Amino acid sequence: MSRPYVTLSCAMSIDGYLDTETPQRLAMSNAEDFDRVDQLRAASDAIMVGASTVRRDDCRLLVRSEERQQQRLDAGLTASPVKVTVTASGDLSADSAFFTAGDVEKIVYCPRSEGERITRTLGGAATVVVLGETVAMRDVVADLGDRGVERLMVEGGGRMHTQFLVEEIADELQLVIAPFFVGESLAPRFVGAGTFPWTAHRRARLAEARQIADVVLLRYALSDRFDGGGA
């Protein structure tokens, strides 16, 4: 099976931060853009975040709109997409909202060395998929494709976005810029250091720039499979 179409979705400050250093979450976007992201969720087969995002945000990763939930149910789908995360350490709680919220499948990818322990920790809260000595996003995406996932939405965090970009397996990036600065050196950033395919000599193609109230959405085409439909 062909790999899923991968959309990276991110909102960051003007200076490239995803959040603040403090535990309290900082909203980067606005109501109009949150609704756009909800539509993107509803149009996806799976939503993926890193384990650090699961721990930090206690995220539910569910479609919020009841109308969109019903449209999915009418199409024979679950109300929200499959939820996916990746962990190397297995430091996940089965009581977190990622696992308890929503009657949808949850999948956890992990390295071979931690497979048995993570399976015991999570019990029946998720399907644990053991990969190689390290977890490469290319292998995760291939496995999701084998499971019937055609459209994958990646919501972060920074380490996850970095891996997808460095491995060049993202088809588009939807990047929202919030109208303020964070300025905290220890706060999480959009991406970390890496050897990225897009450089000053190979520029990513900007497919759309759109103002949404007080934020700006930038859509970048990252592969020849880019779907130019609505965001």
Side-chain angles (χ1 to χ4, degrees):
M1 177 167 301
S2 62
R3 70 172 177 84
Y5 184 91
V6 177
T7 299
L8 306 185
S9 176
C10 176
M12 70 178 191
S13 63
I14 293 174
D15 51 346
Y17 290 99
L18 301 176
D19 209 337
T20 67
E21 297 175 355
T22 64
Q24 184 176 358
R25 187 176 182 185
L26 176 64
M28 288 287 171
S29 197
N30 55 44
E32 293 90 336
D33 189 59
F34 285 139
D35 188 66
R36 178 194 64 82
V37 171
D38 195 59
Q39 175 59 50
L40 182 59
R41 284 184 178 182
S44 302
D45 299 308
I47 306 172
M48 183 175 181
V49 295
S52 60
T53 300
V54 173
R55 291 189 295 269
R56 179 183 177 91
D57 296 345
D58 196 27
C59 46
R60 294 164 53 85
L61 295 185
L62 301 177
V63 173
R64 300 180 181 183
S65 163
E66 293 183 1
E67 179 180 358
R68 290 171 184 142
Q69 291 179 20
Q70 189 59 53
Q71 289 172 348
R72 286 181 56 90
L73 292 171
D74 291 344
L77 305 171
T78 53
S80 292
V82 173
K83 294 192 278 190
V84 182
T85 191
V86 173
T87 180
S89 67
D91 184 15
L92 291 169
S93 170
D95 295 327
S96 68
F98 178 91
F99 297 108
T100 61
D103 186 18
V104 300
E105 184 179 8
K106 295 91 178 179
I107 304 175
V108 176
Y109 290 92
C110 69
R112 184 181 301 117
S113 60
E114 301 295 331
E116 291 186 9
R117 184 175 64 82
I118 292 173
T119 300
R120 289 195 303 270
T121 299
L122 296 179
T127 300
V128 177
V129 180
V130 178
L131 296 177
E133 292 305 317
T134 60
V135 178
M137 294 306 107
R138 189 172 299 278
D139 295 335
V140 170
V141 167
D143 185 79
L144 288 172
D146 290 341
R147 294 173 185 273
V149 172
E150 296 182 0
R151 300 190 74 89
L152 172 64
M153 177 184 181
V154 181
E155 292 200 32
R159 183 178 301 175
M160 187 68 58
H161 285 140
T162 301
Q163 289 176 285
F164 271 91
L165 291 167
V166 167
E167 293 186 36
E168 201 172 355
I169 51 174
D171 297 293
E172 75 171 278
L173 167 63
Q174 297 190 9
L175 184 64
V176 167
I177 312 298
F180 54 81
F181 296 82
V182 171
E184 299 174 5
S185 61
L186 298 181
R189 299 191 69 95
F190 162 45
V191 292
T195 304
F196 296 97
W198 301 276
T199 66
H201 303 290
R202 184 197 173 194
R203 300 185 178 213
R205 180 169 69 87
L206 178 63
E208 179 184 1
R210 188 200 323 170
Q211 181 177 348
I212 305 175
D214 64 347
V215 304
V216 175
L217 167 67
L218 304 176
R219 291 182 74 193
Y220 289 95
L222 301 182
S223 82
D224 57 9
R225 302 200 310 165
F226 174 72
D227 179 358

